[in-house]
Amino acid sequence: MRAGSGNGGGLPEEAYAAALASVPQVGPATLRLLLATDAPSAAWSRSSFPGDVARIWQRHEEKGIEVCWHGGPGYPARLENDPDAPAVLFCQGDPAAVSTHATVALVGTRSPTRYGIGVAAQFGADLAALGVSVVSGLALGIDGAAHEGATASGAPPIAVVAGGLDDPYPRRNARLWARVAEQGAVYSESPAGVRTEKWRFPVRNRLLAMLSDVVVVVESRYRGGALYTVEAAAARGIPVGAVPGSIRSPTSEGTNGLLADGCFPVCGVDDILTALALRGVLLPGGAGGAAGAVPGPGPGRDAVPGAGAQYAGPDRALFEALSSDPVSLDHLARVTGMDLPALCGGLERLAREGVARDVGGWWERT
């Protein structure tokens, strides 16, 4: 943990920032007012709130949770000029991760179709490989699939969650949460010990938009929660794209509606790269919206049977379940015991390595 600027009490300013954010009656707006003119320790002394600052600080230190406040060290530069920027931000991983690469939010429904899961995982993998950090909410469905793809390699993945960072939610994504924190960062406005309550999700979606250069909705119902992110992005002039879907699919009602309202269509990663370029966001190596920009297997990559020795865990099991005969996703799910987002993310990682490929919706080892 950072030592912080400190004060006469022996605790760093970060400790008082965490304590202020932990007061139940202090919401985001009140917290901004408290810290608008004072350092966290001065704001705490002036407020006379009850609470054990040392114990609150210890809880965050034990969980490896970084704490930063608006105007203090480590606070993301992307947020500094936003009038609704969180006064206090909590992070697991590298607090600077969101400031090192272009960022694209991939969001959508918690109950996606197989089509939506595959698109989210593919976009996540391709964008990360191009040096774009994928931002999402670590929820079930589209969010999880996007991060499964993004943790393959490349730019650090970024997650924004609603509750405290000491209690991963949903539990089914706990391992994915750990991978994102290890490779990039997981952010929250909620201090440790705070439950994931309903009202915190729209707040989370606002922050998700703030941290993104472009927002893309993969699948969403007509009144889906992802539309909170769209509203927050639109209010800030952040481009919003949507993946077209079947007019018969309820999970595409929201995205098709966004297209009708003027959001740009996303039929491939090149459409996202074009949106970034139009905003003046440059990628490593000058990658832009040209067709074929997504790199394939590089020279020297082993793409022959037997290459699976380099993989571990689920990816090893997935590689061994593949053969030269194409098999369905259902078959792979039964053999490996993986759920669909993890399965699609693993397949995209293997495809990126050049050892697996999609053949009309079926998968085979190359």
Side-chain angles (χ1 to χ4, degrees):
M1 302 290 290
R2 294 186 303 276
S5 57
N7 55 74
L11 290 172
E13 291 292 340
E14 288 85 352
Y16 293 93
L20 286 166
S22 299
V23 177
Q25 62 265 41
V26 174
T30 302
L31 195 56
R32 278 195 295 273
L33 286 174
L34 287 170
L35 295 177
T37 55
D38 289 330
S41 58
W44 178 265
S45 298
R46 185 164 52 84
S47 64
S48 301
F49 287 126
D52 188 332
V53 178
R55 180 174 295 179
I56 293 170
W57 179 236
Q58 181 182 13
R59 178 189 299 163
H60 288 81
E61 283 195 305
E62 288 174 349
K63 296 294 182 178
I65 300 172
E66 299 279 353
V67 183
C68 52
W69 73 97
H70 197 284
Y75 193 85
R78 288 177 175 273
L79 302 177
E80 286 180 351
N81 296 322
D82 194 296
D84 291 327
V88 179
L89 194 62
F90 300 88
C91 175
Q92 276 184 336
D94 180 7
V98 76
S99 303
T100 58
H101 293 73
T103 54
V104 170
L106 296 178
V107 297
T109 179
R110 288 176 172 80
S111 304
T113 63
R114 181 175 297 174
Y115 160 76
I117 289 175
V119 168
Q122 179 185 348
F123 284 0
D126 289 346
L127 288 169
L130 285 165
V132 178
S133 285
V134 172
V135 184
S136 203
L138 270 178
L140 298 176
I142 295 299
D143 289 19
H147 272 140
E148 287 284 359
T151 52
S153 62
I158 305 298
V160 185
V161 299
L165 297 178
D166 58 329
D167 186 20
Y169 177 88
R171 294 293 174 87
R172 279 174 54 186
N173 279 352
R175 290 184 180 179
L176 178 60
W177 177 307
R179 290 209 310 275
V180 172
E182 180 182 0
Q183 297 178 24
V186 182
Y187 296 95
S188 178
E189 293 186 54
S190 302
V194 167
R195 293 186 300 113
T196 306
E197 301 165 294
K198 257 187 175 181
W199 69 268
R200 296 185 183 274
F201 285 100
V203 174
R204 181 277 306 269
N205 290 356
R206 184 196 85 251
L207 178 57
L208 200 155
M210 287 185 201
L211 293 174
S212 303
D213 293 314
V214 171
V215 171
V216 174
V217 185
V218 179
E219 276 189 328
S220 173
R221 294 178 179 271
Y222 183 66
R223 298 185 182 276
L227 300 185
Y228 286 111
T229 307
V230 171
E231 292 173 2
R236 292 164 173 79
I238 298 169
V240 176
V243 176
S246 169
I247 61 173
R248 293 189 175 93
S249 173
T251 58
S252 291
E253 288 179 351
T255 47
N256 290 341
L258 290 174
L259 294 172
D261 289 340
C263 293
F264 71 91
V266 180
C267 299
V269 168
D270 284 349
D271 295 322
I272 303 174
L273 299 181
T274 299
L276 287 170
L278 289 173
R279 291 206 81 194
V281 178
L282 300 179
L283 305 186
V294 179
R301 284 192 174 176
D302 188 356
V304 300
Q310 65 184 296
Y311 305 114
D315 283 0
R316 176 68 180 272
L318 183 53
F319 177 86
E320 293 178 348
L322 294 167
S323 71
S324 57
D325 295 322
V327 293
S328 68
L329 289 175
D330 288 337
H331 171 81
L332 291 172
R334 286 195 301 271
V335 170
T336 63
M338 300 169 70
D339 61 25
L340 201 52
L343 181 62
C344 288
L347 288 169
E348 289 297 335
R349 287 191 290 274
L350 295 180
R352 179 66 56 201
E353 291 293 324
V355 298
R357 65 184 175 194
D358 182 358
V359 185
W362 292 46
W363 285 81
E364 66 180 12
R365 191 190 298 183
T366 58

